[in-house]
Amino acid sequence: MRSVTYSMGVSLDGYIVGPDGGFDFGVPTEDVFRLSVDEIREVGVHLLGRRLYETMLYWETADQHPALEFSTLEFAALWKALPKVVFSTTLSAVQGNARLSPGGLAEEIERLRAEPGEGDIAIGGATLAAEAAAADLIDEYRARVYPVLVGGGIPFFPQHERRVDLELVETRTLSSKVVYLRYRVAR
């Protein structure tokens, strides 16, 4: 069965964006970006909320910028080809290799797990991840922890009132002082 993964950059105090909505603390260095490229290679389909989808639209045309470095172009090519499912009540159309989900998140994940396919089902965006976590649908949490305290904002970890036991799968300290933590949900 395909795993559902949730991976994002996060401040040490647990936020994906600060109180002002900014995430400039998470600008990736080459080693962090390389990790993102490696992760996206393992993904078969990416589920996104509207805000993250709109943020990631940049990558649909990034390959048209010849000044970009190789790893950036590589990520752009992988992202552009990757099937994406967007969950939104306000969008009427999406671009690139994306489609709007006609139903709910749990039904979409159930359908994707049932059909033949390679690669993980990745979830992007804290709101969508919180919904998946509340329904106990996330199999792995992957955090790129940046050495900064932002003091508030949107939390990486869903704020639901239940305990979730995790098993450490991998940890890595990158040269940029970012720590990569990969945990599997203990079932």
Side-chain angles (χ1 to χ4, degrees):
M1 179 168 29
R2 298 166 82 180
S3 291
V4 175
T5 64
Y6 171 43
S7 177
M8 293 193 78
V10 58
S11 65
L12 182 60
D13 55 349
Y15 297 96
I16 62 167
V17 298
D20 62 353
F23 54 92
D24 59 339
F25 66 86
V27 175
T29 56
E30 182 61 31
D31 58 347
V32 174
F33 198 79
R34 187 89 237 147
L35 176 66
S36 297
V37 170
D38 292 343
E39 274 190 340
I40 209 72
R41 285 183 188 288
E42 298 173 8
V43 174
V45 61
H46 208 292
L47 311 181
L48 302 97
R50 180 197 50 83
R51 282 182 294 211
L52 185 59
Y53 164 74
E54 289 174 341
T55 300
M56 296 300 286
L57 276 175
Y58 165 81
W59 295 103
E60 295 295 327
T61 59
D63 58 351
Q64 297 169 14
H65 304 260
L68 295 179
E69 297 177 7
F70 174 75
S71 60
T72 309
L73 290 170
E74 184 180 12
F75 182 86
L78 291 167
W79 183 259
K80 193 173 185 176
L82 183 65
K84 293 167 274 297
V85 180
V86 181
F87 292 82
S88 173
T89 58
T90 58
L91 294 175
S92 58
V94 290
Q95 301 172 33
N97 194 13
R99 66 175 174 80
L100 285 168
S101 175
L105 179 63
E107 295 81 13
E108 186 70 38
I109 290 173
E110 184 179 317
R111 189 185 66 70
L112 289 168
R113 281 184 165 163
E115 69 184 29
E118 295 288 319
D120 294 332
I121 300 166
I123 293 182
T127 303
L128 200 60
E131 183 181 338
D136 196 25
L137 296 171
I138 296 178
D139 299 305
E140 283 191 12
Y141 290 87
R142 300 173 182 182
R144 294 177 300 281
V145 182
Y146 286 82
V148 62
L149 303 172
V150 296
I154 298 174
F156 172 80
F157 293 103
Q159 304 298 309
H160 48 79
E161 310 232 348
R162 70 177 179 88
R163 176 181 168 146
V164 178
D165 292 319
L166 304 172
E167 299 169 352
L168 183 63
V169 175
E170 180 181 0
T171 184
R172 203 182 320 170
T173 302
L174 304 172
S175 63
S176 58
K177 300 194 176 31
V178 169
V179 176
Y180 175 69
L181 300 170
R182 182 175 162 208
Y183 287 94
R184 182 174 299 123
V185 174
R187 301 207 193 275

